[in-house]
Amino acid sequence: MTVAAPAREKMLIGGAWVESADGRTFDVETPAKRGTVVAQVPRSAAVDVDRAVQAAAAAFPAWRAVAPRERGRLLTRIADDLEAAVDDLARTLASETGNAIRTQARPEAKTAADVFRYFGGLGGELKGETIPLGENMFSYTRREPYGVVAAIVPWNVPILIAAWKIAPALLAGNTAVLKPSANAPLAALAMARIAQKHLPKGVLNVVTGTGDEVGTPLATHPLVAKISFTGATDTGKSILRLAADRILPVTLELGGKSPQILFPDADDERTADGVIAAMRFARQGQSCTAGSRLFVHKTVFDSFLDKLATKLAKLKVGDPLDETSDMGAIVSRQQFEKVVRYIDEGAHQKGAKTVTGGVPPTEGPLAEGYYVQPTVFANVQNDWRIAREEIFGPVLVAIPWSDTDDAVRMANDTHYGLAAYVWCNDITRALRTAHAVDAGWVQVNQGIGQVVGQPYGGFKESGLGRENSLEGMLEGFTQRKSVTVNLGS
Ligand code: NAD
């Protein structure tokens, strides 16, 4: 890939594009080519967070007074402009995240536009109820915004997750401060540039920097009224602790180690494609909903893994900006090294079999970036680290089973509960299994990504609350007020 001189980015505070107060910056590298800086971005600190939160707080009274349908109309215009900019956004995403442009970055940019369009149409749904307390009482509820929302997002699908938070938060009448990941702030800034053309100053602000220097001051700022966080479970726990001091409402979308349960009647090509999609191999496995534990019935264990390995061998790993790449690079050196450590551990685990992939080459074109081949380990035990911990890389572990209850017990033997996949052509068995699995979202015979409109969120330590839906907006970004009027004498 060819790389231009690093762009110097600014961030959005109070409608202006600004540097950090002390002028510091940090480098954003492309994972496609080690050590290649594509942009320099403001490295903010608590003082910048304060500027942004103050701007959001100042914009709140006027924004909440705008009629919901008018707020929705502005979101729809943002959706139009995002759609027109899909290719630019996709290139930025591919370059900063390493996600392949055809399979990941372009679909992400399109879906982010869809999210703004979806919420843009929901203004009329911010309605309350009347409560029948008797002829002499008139009691009704209102859905009111919280105020300033802190939206803290990770790097793996940075603008889609930002859209899941910003669009419903703004539609509901809140103002927002977005904190993108330091690994991938560029497309989020580009999205904000588009959104800002349609929004009053201060309604949306973006502060760039690290978790410690920006995330923590944002989560503890006294004018922040709601935190919507997506990221690792441990970070979510620390945010929840910080929020406890002010009884702050928090939505958490956290990690996962999601099971896929495959029945004997699903040993076919279509299921192999579906399992690959569910594992999010094309995003280097960097997905919270990656179905990274594959429980295969022992009678089809070997034949199914053969099918899987044949298909995985055909995936083209390479430059994320190349339209022919199916899979790009791991986001950063730190993540790459972590993933390689897990692969090394799996390769040396007694009893495990490497079906495909393994520790990445240290020479050749793929060694120029943080590329990892799809890797599958077979005959894994459910209590090994590679089966219990979220690797967040293209590493699938396969575990045989013979009894359905046992498969479900192993699937549920985890502190996570985000997603699950059931591969079975007998609808009764499939649905019984789907209902028995502890997960916020179970898919049967498919492994697609989140669909806007469907409440999304995790069980157990995978999260708190739901988003990406009407219910998510109402529960996550409004608070109910009851008003009771005495009509009697
Ligand atoms: P992370 O928790 O390290 O960071 C997420 C965001 O939080 C970043 O913007 C980061 O700068 C910020 N942050 C870090 N420490 C902070 C702190 N102490 N206080 C406040 N903010 C802080 O996660 P990541 O590595 O960026 O993303 C990968 C993780 O995100 C994985 O665990 C993945 O499963 C999870 N994830 C979950 C979902 C979901 O919808 N459930 C979606 C995508 C990713």
Side-chain angles (χ1 to χ4, degrees), residues 7-11 18-20 23-28 37-44 96 180-182 184-186 189 206-209:
R8 180 73 186 254
E9 295 288 336
K10 292 187 175 173
M11 59 188 178
V18 299
E19 306 271 359
S20 60
R24 287 189 309 163
T25 61
F26 63 91
D27 292 341
V28 178
V37 175
V38 291
Q40 288 166 326
V41 175
R43 180 168 175 174
S44 307
E96 66 178 337
S181 163
L186 303 178
L189 289 168
V206 185
V207 185
T208 50

Side-chain angles (χ1 to χ4, degrees), residues 152-157 161 164 179-183 209-212 214-217 219 229-236 238-239 242 252-256 286-289 335 390 392 416 418 450 456-458 462 467:
I152 304 177
V153 302
W155 44 262
N156 60 329
V157 263
I161 294 176
W164 287 350
K179 187 241 169 283
S181 163
N183 283 329
T210 65
D212 286 348
V214 175
T216 306
F229 171 81
T230 299
T233 293
D234 281 347
T235 319
S238 61
I239 284 179
L242 294 175
L252 299 173
E253 299 290 353
L254 308 175
Q286 298 170 136
S287 166
C288 48
T289 50
Q335 284 296 121
E390 185 185 45
F392 226 58
Y416 290 120
L418 191 55
Q450 293 86 335
Y456 167 69
S462 285
E467 59 180 12

Side-chain angles (χ1 to χ4, degrees), residues 284 317 327-328 330 336 339-340 343 358 360 370-375 394-395:
Q284 301 79 254
V317 181
M327 238 175 106
I330 298 278
F336 174 82
V339 171
V340 171
I343 295 178
Y370 301 120
Y371 297 100
V372 177
Q373 299 280 355
T375 297
V395 185

Side-chain angles (χ1 to χ4, degrees), residues 98-113:
N99 293 343
I101 192 157
R102 175 178 52 81
T103 64
Q104 300 301 312
R106 194 173 292 114
E108 178 184 346
K110 283 185 186 158
T111 314

Side-chain angles (χ1 to χ4, degrees), residues 176-200:
V177 178
L178 171 66
K179 187 241 169 283
S181 163
N183 283 329
L186 303 178
L189 289 168
M191 184 167 87
R193 210 169 266 283
I194 289 169
Q196 184 53 41
K197 281 197 262 160
H198 302 286
L199 296 173

Side-chain angles (χ1 to χ4, degrees), residues 38-63:
V38 291
Q40 288 166 326
V41 175
R43 180 168 175 174
S44 307
V47 59
D48 303 294
V49 171
D50 183 54
R51 279 198 293 164
V53 176
Q54 297 284 357
F60 176 59
W63 180 244

